[in-house]
Amino acid sequence: MPRYLSLVRIDESNVPAEGPSPELMQRMGELLEEITKAGVMLDTAGLLPSAQGTRAHLRGGEVSFTDGPFTETKEVVGGYAIMQCKDKAEALEWAKRFLKVHGDDWTLTLEVREIGEG
């Protein structure tokens, strides 16, 4: 059965100042429990702010590092999930439900990609 990676993309400057509400966290917990019981969820987590991250770059054979925040980037990966679904349609249905749980206060993009085997 194929596996899918979903990347939650957010604009860190445009999230609710108070962060996720207790109601959102409850709805999210219920959805994640349902996805897990369905045997779909393999792993998921939110990520700390980009200000606490580091990027590694390769240019001309040399590796360099840049600490966050990354001012040139407006949108960052805020979390991820790895799901095992029967097909892409099922992965997209779970993605739709994940986005809807957030309600009207959040602007998110969820990129869903099949994980290449081998």
Side-chain angles (χ1 to χ4, degrees):
M1 203 177 325
R3 294 178 301 150
Y4 295 87
L5 172 68
S6 62
L7 299 171
V8 181
R9 298 188 182 274
I10 63 170
D11 176 351
E12 289 181 315
S13 67
N14 192 27
V15 297
E18 66 281 355
S21 68
E23 296 81 16
L24 170 56
M25 295 305 292
Q26 180 180 344
R27 291 191 309 267
M28 183 63 63
E30 291 168 357
L31 178 62
L32 294 178
E33 182 178 339
E34 182 180 350
I35 296 171
T36 301
K37 284 182 179 177
V40 171
M41 185 64 69
L42 300 178
D43 190 23
T44 187
L47 301 175
L48 294 177
S50 64
Q52 298 176 30
T54 301
R55 289 185 178 163
H57 309 273
L58 175 66
R59 179 176 290 161
E62 297 294 319
V63 175
S64 63
F65 298 95
T66 305
D67 290 331
F70 311 111
T71 56
E72 73 280 2
T73 302
K74 182 176 179 182
E75 188 179 79
V76 300
V77 176
Y80 72 93
I82 299 175
M83 301 178 294
Q84 189 165 15
C85 302
K86 64 182 177 196
D87 55 26
K88 189 172 185 179
E90 181 185 10
L92 293 176
E93 181 59 32
W94 287 115
K96 178 180 175 181
R97 292 184 61 193
F98 173 84
L99 290 172
K100 291 238 178 222
V101 161
H102 287 79
D104 298 336
D105 295 333
W106 290 78
T107 300
L108 301 172
T109 300
L110 194 62
E111 180 180 343
V112 178
R113 297 172 61 184
E114 187 171 347
I115 296 172
E117 299 301 326

